[in-house]
Amino acid sequence: MIVYILCFVLFLVGLYGVLTKRDLVKIILSVGIMGYAANLFLILFAYKSDSFYPILTEGKENLSRVDPLPQALVLTSIVIELGTTALLVALAIKLYQKYKTFDITKIRRLSG
Amino acid sequence: MKNNQGMSIIVKTVTRVSVWLMVLYAWYIILHGHLTPGGGFGGGVIFAIAMLNVLLAYGSEFTEKWLKIRLLHDIEAASILLFLIVGILGISVLGGFLTNFILKGKLYELISAGTIPIFNILIGIKVAMSLFLAVLILAKTNIENGGEV
Amino acid sequence: MILPYFIIIPLLAAFIITLIGGKKDTWGIALSIAAIVIMMVLSIYSFVIGKTETVTYSMSNWDIPIGICLVQDALSLFVLIIINIIALTSLLFSIQYIRHLSPDWKYYALFMLLITGMNGVVLTGDIFNLFVFMEIALFSAFALVAYGGKAEEFEASFKYAIMGSVSSVLILVGIAITYATTSTLTMAKIATILPQTEPIVMLMIGALFMVGFGLKAAAMPFHAWLPDAHSSAPAPISAMLSGVLIKALGIYVLMRIFFNVFGAVQIFKEIFIVLGAISIIVGVILALGQWDMKRLLAYHSISQIGYILLGMGLGTYLGLLGAIFHLLNHAIFKSLLFYNAGSVEIALGTRNLKEMGNLTKVMPISSSTSLIASLSISGIPPFNGFFSKLIIIIAALEVNAPWVAFIAIIGSLLTLASFMKVQRYGFRGEKIVEKIEDKIGLNMKIAMITLAVLCVVTSALIIPGIREVILDPVVNVLLDSSKYIQMLVGS
């Protein structure tokens, strides 16, 4: 149970960062932390104690294994997060070129 | 990057050797994707990191001359197109998109598992090219200029 | 089997465009329009052929609860037709509009990926696959919002990307909890297992999905990204985002999950009503004060989404009929209004209502189609918006919720007021405009006229004989989820 609570704390750290930080790069990192927390959730749900990794290996066919599906899901979601981060970094660079600052409170031409 | 000349001679010399080891390792991961942990994405990322090592050590000017960027763009688009075509072949042979329509072979052998190694190779190339080109474009951007505010 | 081609065709088009695009946009235009026309024909054909049955398709020939499956029923085909019709007009409108920004194939490749994502979300029967397709659609949307390359567009795109990522993470956590309790990802299988688990689990998953997909649908407390993103994007993309994306990613998924998978639980329906009512009132009040035409339209999207949520929340036959009908109508007239705003922006170079004037002389088509769209959105008969709003109001009175009906009527009156302002200042003002900077091309005119005609024609869907054929199968999917669950057994 304690691992789930710690995982939730990690999620909250990310959420806190998104809500309170003013630096674009820190916001991007916080979104990343939230994503890692969600991935960790998936992996924790799949974990069984005394189990083997879910890949067929010669001589170990009959062992009990952890659930492979969440690991596949996490791989997919890591790929998606890689894309998100790359896109957000590109946008942050463009925003710096235009506004000469990384401070989100100074980047507000749109409001109302 | 401030200067496009890259790092010192020591780094360049070490990179010249280590890049090929990294590329070899990347292909090992990609080709054994159906037998071991890893596969297309993992191997592709290692491949991209190998090329990014060159970018860091030699600077973007040399890298762009050494690797033909236009060609990399084409390879990137062609690899995913081939992926789709192999997937559509699955429809025509067995009636399901991405169906494994080649003989599966024997378990634990390198050449086995039907279309999965093919998909792994194509995904590996796609991931490597995409990641490398994305970072190259970000690295080339001059962050101080370009705004017209 | 037609089903997988709705995903394969746009994906193929996108990557062929990147490969042979070269430096010009001719290949991009040709291939993307060909792909969209093929898909539109296919979707209408499959709706005519099989609107009452549920067809499944298993990817890679895996058995259904194990592998990923695609599901086609009346609801998904209905949304598919909306996506492809609006996409076709949007592409026609783009040709001239995008040449102003940059003559490049990249726009068309991204547009095709956007279509891939939305088609995939609508067709998939696997909840994680839905998440993946949603991310594909969102990526292309982020990039397309920033396509113009101005400072405001990057700002809007960054905000949108952050909000989108946060909501995606919430959805991912929801999927993780779903998988942990039901050990499956196929939505029909989840629907059979979830009622047997503890009710707290369903509440937890429901809350996560409500926030996650509510953010995509831009219901009121989660709306902050919408006015920025939809007003900064290029006009055809604003039309796609406002007309289709928030419906395919938000409303459609909410309908599918909360009606077919969770089985229309009472508490969620009440939440829908509250969200809808707040969205209607606050959205339209915020819209009243706007002078930027596209921003005004973006706020109206929030308010109109509120009507759909309200109809869903009522949950009766009439309520759902109104919601489905309004979904179609809103896609048509909101896209048309964004095209009007885009054409004025091209001709006059401004979006500010105060700087516009009497455009009836120089832009007769834009101003007359904008009149039709304004009347539709404000709910004036005989245009389509009137009938869908009327159905929702009758549905509210039918279940003895007069305050809901009252809010819907107030919202509609305020909508009328704010579109009077658009017409008064934007298209029929005192200052007569004699000269415009740039002509509106034929493609743009065709796109606007098509949608204006559709505004009138779709009101025929309410006639009893036609309603039973087109709208009723869609509503039946929502009212009776047993067919959706049945797909596990027979395919």
Side-chain angles (χ1 to χ4, degrees), chain C residues 259 306-316 318-323 392 395:
Chain C
F259 282 85
Y307 280 98
I308 302 175
L309 286 173
L310 205 64
M312 280 161 65
L314 294 171
T316 54
L318 273 181
L320 288 171
L321 181 73
I392 291 171

Side-chain angles (χ1 to χ4, degrees), chain B residues 21-149:
Chain B
L21 291 174
M22 289 167 81
V23 170
L24 190 68
Y25 183 57
W27 279 104
Y28 166 79
I29 296 274
I30 292 173
L31 291 176
H32 286 72
H34 53 297
L35 302 174
T36 56
F41 181 73
V45 170
I46 297 168
F47 200 153
I49 287 172
M51 292 193 285
L52 289 176
N53 243 354
V54 179
L55 175 70
L56 283 177
Y58 284 85
S60 60
E61 222 168 86
F62 173 83
T63 316
E64 279 188 57
K65 238 182 279 168
W66 181 54
L67 300 160
K68 295 174 187 63
I69 299 300
R70 184 67 221 162
L71 185 70
L72 294 193
H73 273 288
D74 286 349
I75 291 174
E76 186 203 353
S79 65
I80 197 71
L81 215 55
L82 274 175
F83 183 99
L84 276 174
I85 288 168
V86 177
I88 295 169
L89 277 180
I91 298 184
S92 54
V93 177
L94 283 175
F97 185 53
L98 297 176
T99 312
N100 198 338
F101 61 90
I102 304 176
L103 283 178
K104 310 288 186 296
K106 268 165 88 182
L107 195 60
Y108 308 127
E109 276 183 6
L110 183 57
I111 300 175
S112 64
T115 52
I116 294 176
I118 301 174
F119 286 145
N120 268 332
I121 292 168
L122 291 173
I123 290 283
I125 294 171
K126 167 80 181 160
V127 169
M129 299 305 153
S130 311
L131 197 57
F132 172 68
L133 289 172
V135 178
L136 180 69
I137 288 164
L138 290 180
K140 266 167 58 187
T141 316
N142 186 350
I143 196 163
E144 299 298 336
N145 299 321
E148 81 267 16
V149 173

Side-chain angles (χ1 to χ4, degrees), chain A residues 53 55-58 61 75 78-79 82 86 89-90 93 96-100 102 109, chain B residues 35-38 41 45 107-108 127 131 134 138 141-149:
Chain A
Y53 60 77
I55 287 173
L56 277 177
T57 318
E58 263 174 313
E61 280 93 347
L75 269 178
I78 287 173
V79 177
L82 172 74
V89 168
I93 287 178
Y96 187 85
Q97 281 185 345
K98 302 284 180 191
Y99 291 86
K100 299 283 176 242
F102 276 129
R109 207 170 288 176
Chain B
L35 302 174
T36 56
F41 181 73
V45 170
L107 195 60
Y108 308 127
V127 169
L131 197 57
L138 290 180
T141 316
N142 186 350
I143 196 163
E144 299 298 336
N145 299 321
E148 81 267 16
V149 173

Side-chain angles (χ1 to χ4, degrees), chain C residues 235-398:
Chain C
I237 293 309
S238 307
M240 280 306 281
L241 295 183
S242 245
V244 188
L245 190 82
I246 55 175
K247 298 193 186 66
L249 262 52
I251 298 293
Y252 166 81
V253 181
L254 285 176
M255 279 178 175
R256 190 58 100 195
I257 287 181
F258 285 94
F259 282 85
N260 283 159
V261 177
F262 289 0
V265 185
Q266 188 57 34
I267 180 157
F268 292 130
K269 288 202 275 189
E270 280 163 19
I271 295 174
F272 279 139
I273 292 187
V274 173
L275 285 183
I278 299 173
S279 301
I280 289 176
I281 291 296
V282 182
V284 80
I285 287 175
L286 284 172
L288 271 174
Q290 297 300 324
W291 284 100
D292 183 336
M293 184 162 171
K294 278 172 86 176
R295 213 174 169 78
L296 185 146
L297 295 178
Y299 274 113
H300 274 295
S301 284
I302 299 171
S303 148
Q304 301 297 318
I305 283 294
Y307 280 98
I308 302 175
L309 286 173
L310 205 64
M312 280 161 65
L314 294 171
T316 54
Y317 165 76
L318 273 181
L320 288 171
L321 181 73
I324 292 285
F325 195 24
H326 201 68
L327 196 141
L328 170 69
N329 297 344
H330 180 246
I332 292 170
F333 54 64
K334 186 49 64 67
S335 307
L336 177 52
L337 282 166
F338 270 114
Y339 296 157
N340 294 143
S343 63
V344 173
E345 195 183 352
I346 277 202
L348 297 181
T350 179
R351 298 199 306 237
N352 193 335
L353 288 172
K354 284 177 186 164
E355 291 167 20
M356 295 179 196
N358 194 330
L359 298 170
T360 41
K361 283 270 162 52
V362 280
M363 301 167 71
I365 289 176
S366 296
S367 54
S368 53
T369 50
S370 86
L371 182 64
I372 294 177
S374 304
L375 293 177
S376 293
I377 195 173
S378 343
I380 306 289
F383 298 105
N384 52 12
F386 169 72
F387 295 104
S388 45
K389 283 184 184 173
L390 186 69
I391 294 172
I392 291 171
I393 291 165
I394 293 174
L397 292 175
E398 196 188 49

